[in-house]
Amino acid sequence: MMYDQTRAQQPAGQNRPTAERRTPGPEPLLPSAEREQVLQRLRHALNTFADTPRDALAEAESAYDEAIAQLVNALAARRELLRAAWADQDTAATADAAEPADLTSQSDELRHALRQYREITQRLLQL
């Protein structure tokens, strides 16, 4: 076994990289580039407040408005994807003389869509 300097420098009990320890959570509602852009504008507003308070507040408000618009667009796009997935299942079920295996598969896909609706709605209610 070769000497691993990074591992040797970690505190005892911390033998896995951070990325491996994280439990995957739900994907972010906004892409990271869009989130970072809004956060950058907000940081700029905070950093310029002492010199130009009204301009900083206007910039913070604008960043807030941009975040809302991006969130609304992202939620609408996600809704369309979810709706298309289960609406397609409904069309396929009526178009074919569905066999039991097909019905089970469709039921599983509909259940998955329902879980996605539940997850996103719960996240919204926790904001």
Side-chain angles (χ1 to χ4, degrees):
M1 184 161 120
M2 296 185 63
Y3 178 73
D4 183 349
Q5 183 177 359
T6 304
R7 179 177 266 173
Q9 292 175 347
Q10 292 177 349
Q14 185 180 353
N15 54 6
R16 283 187 269 155
T18 304
E20 290 179 26
R21 285 194 321 265
R22 286 191 192 140
T23 303
E27 67 182 62
L29 295 174
L30 296 177
S32 61
E34 291 178 8
R35 284 192 324 265
E36 187 55 39
Q37 181 182 18
V38 172
L39 288 172
Q40 185 177 15
R41 290 181 63 202
L42 187 57
R43 281 190 296 267
H44 183 262
L46 293 170
N47 290 334
T48 60
F49 180 79
D51 296 330
T52 55
R54 289 201 177 273
D55 290 344
L57 284 172
E59 186 168 6
E61 181 179 46
S62 178
Y64 176 82
D65 291 343
E66 183 179 335
I68 289 172
Q70 289 177 2
L71 184 58
V72 167
N73 290 337
L75 290 169
R78 181 160 304 178
R79 181 191 182 281
E80 290 301 316
L81 288 173
L82 284 171
R83 175 99 173 131
W86 68 262
D88 288 348
Q89 289 298 318
D90 194 38
T91 303
T94 57
D96 298 334
E99 295 180 22
D102 292 337
L103 291 175
T104 300
S105 174
Q106 290 170 2
S107 178
D108 288 344
E109 290 182 28
L110 292 173
R111 188 174 290 109
H112 178 69
L114 181 60
R115 276 189 233 125
Q116 289 179 314
Y117 277 118
R118 179 190 68 197
E119 182 260 322
I120 194 73
T121 302
Q122 287 174 334
R123 286 175 65 192
L124 286 170
L125 294 174
Q126 292 175 357
L127 291 178

